[in-house]
């Protein structure tokens, strides 16, 4: 396996190598659209930390080993390394704070430059594709003040690792996005992932057999990720408000016995509300860090209060019908115009008519491939 420390140092030195090294190596970067430069063999670059100067040199050691099958060519065992040189009086500083700084910065660069992934589950297993959704907060059609508030919240969360550790809470945050269909809930999630540089895990609850499978899926998610359950009100029988009257519970149980017998015979177990709650904020939710858990729903009133209370879903965000500010942004995105003599009339009509951003966008789409309107 490749050393994680080696990779972190390589990332950390990439910018210094491109400006200092006489000879460079180039590899294809993410999306196959850019080159990643690094030091060539036996090159050296300088660095400075707290006024102390030091030097990194890149080298490799090759040992040849003869294959046991005679018609094969000799195999080369190549070991690459970085050598760090500094004055012995600075030993404590370098081996302590400096190397910690290098590893931290190198890992941050790796996350920033990585190719993000979109995961989905089939039963208890994740599979993924490259995540290439173009949505950003700049192109998201919603109230500018609300958008700025969300951006500030995400920035605060992403930098709050030490704070969460100090207060003894898992480094995670819950978002509930609700509103009519077509108001941009999925686009909001894509914009959040692009803004933070997080991977996305799209969890399909109906494909999970039981709470054990749900826990297994959670353990396998990575840090710096967004775990999404879309249309939570449609995911199994988890989200209806718990009935308080005994006769209503008995009536529901009787109806399930009559209508769901065959389903229970096929499926012996299923995810429960308590299992989902433990997934959100129980002990197992602390596996890994820096994760957002996002629920979406078209009908917030259908959700069980236990599912969306504070500290489970910390942020409740309503995505509603298209307002004037959102319309102007859509007009700029789709038609590349900042103003028009019809904007005043449209502003008045939007106050009278409930129309979603998705419906507005459909009207703004080019009518054919050769003209813009």
């Amino acid at each position: 396996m490749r050393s994680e420390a080696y990779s972190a140092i390589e990332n950390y030195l990439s910018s210094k190598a491109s400006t200092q090294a006489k000879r460079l190596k180039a590899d294809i970067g993410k999306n196959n659209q850019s080159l990643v430069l690094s030091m060539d063999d036996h090159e050296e670059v300088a660095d400075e930390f707290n006024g102390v100067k030091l030097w990194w040199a890149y080298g490799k050691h090759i040992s040849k080993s003869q294959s046991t099958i005679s018609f094969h060519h000799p195999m080369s065992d190549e070991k690459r390394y970085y050598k760090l040189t500094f004055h012995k009086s600075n030993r404590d500083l370098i081996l302590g704070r400096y190397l910690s700084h290098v590893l931290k910065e190198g890992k941050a660069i790796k996350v920033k430059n990585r190719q993000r992934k979109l995961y989905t589950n089939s039963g208890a297993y994740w599979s993924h594709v490259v995540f290439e959704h173009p949505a950003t907060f700049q192109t998201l059609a919603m109230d500018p003040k609300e958008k700025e508030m969300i951006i500030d919240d995400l920035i605060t969360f992403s930098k709050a690792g030490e704070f969460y550790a100090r207060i003894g809470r898992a480094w995670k945050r819950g978002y509930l996005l609700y509103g009519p269909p077509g108001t941009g809930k999925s686009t909001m999630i894509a914009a959040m992932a692009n803004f933070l540089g997080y991977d996305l895990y799209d969890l399909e609850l109906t494909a999970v057999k039981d709470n054990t499978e749900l826990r297994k899926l959670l353990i396998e998610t990575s840090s710096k990720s967004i775990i999404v359950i879309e249309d939570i009100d449609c995911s199994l029988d988890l989200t209806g408000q718990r009935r308080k009257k005994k006769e209503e519970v008995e009536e529901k149980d009787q109806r399930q016995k009559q209508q769901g017998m065959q389903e229970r015979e096929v499926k012996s177990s299923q995810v429960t509300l308590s299992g989902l709650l433990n997934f959100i904020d129980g002990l197992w939710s602390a596996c890994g860090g820096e994760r957002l858990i996002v629920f979406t729903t078209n009908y917030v009133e259908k959700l069980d209060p236990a599912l969306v209370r504070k500290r489970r879903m910390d942020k409740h965000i309503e995505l509603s019908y298209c307002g004037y500010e959102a319309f102007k942004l859509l007009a700029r995105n789709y038609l590349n115009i900042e103003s028009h003599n019809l904007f005043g009339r449209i502003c008045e009509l939007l106050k009278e008519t409930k129309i979603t951003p998705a419906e507005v966008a459909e009207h703004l789409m080019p009518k054919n491939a050769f003209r813009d309107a």
Side-chain angles (χ1 to χ4, degrees), residues 28-40:
I28 296 295
K30 65 177 182 178
N31 301 328
N32 296 323
Q33 294 179 353
S34 60
L35 289 176
V36 178
L37 302 177
S38 58
M39 299 159 59
D40 198 2

Side-chain angles (χ1 to χ4, degrees), residues 239-243 252 300-305:
T239 54
Q241 291 192 12
R242 290 171 288 185
R243 301 182 185 276
K252 180 179 179 181
V300 67
E301 67 278 359
K302 291 185 178 181
L303 301 184
D304 192 305

Side-chain angles (χ1 to χ4, degrees), residues 339-345:
S339 62
H340 192 277
N341 56 11
L342 290 177
F343 273 19
R345 176 59 177 156

Side-chain angles (χ1 to χ4, degrees), residues 243 250-260:
R243 301 182 185 276
E250 292 175 349
E251 179 183 349
K252 180 179 179 181
D253 290 343
Q254 184 63 29
R255 185 168 63 252
Q256 287 179 338
K257 288 179 181 179
Q258 294 173 351
Q259 299 178 356

Side-chain angles (χ1 to χ4, degrees), residues 305-317:
L307 197 62
V308 296
R309 69 168 175 79
K310 293 295 183 181
R311 291 195 64 178
R312 283 190 177 132
M313 292 294 106
D314 304 281
K315 202 78 174 170
H316 294 199
I317 300 173

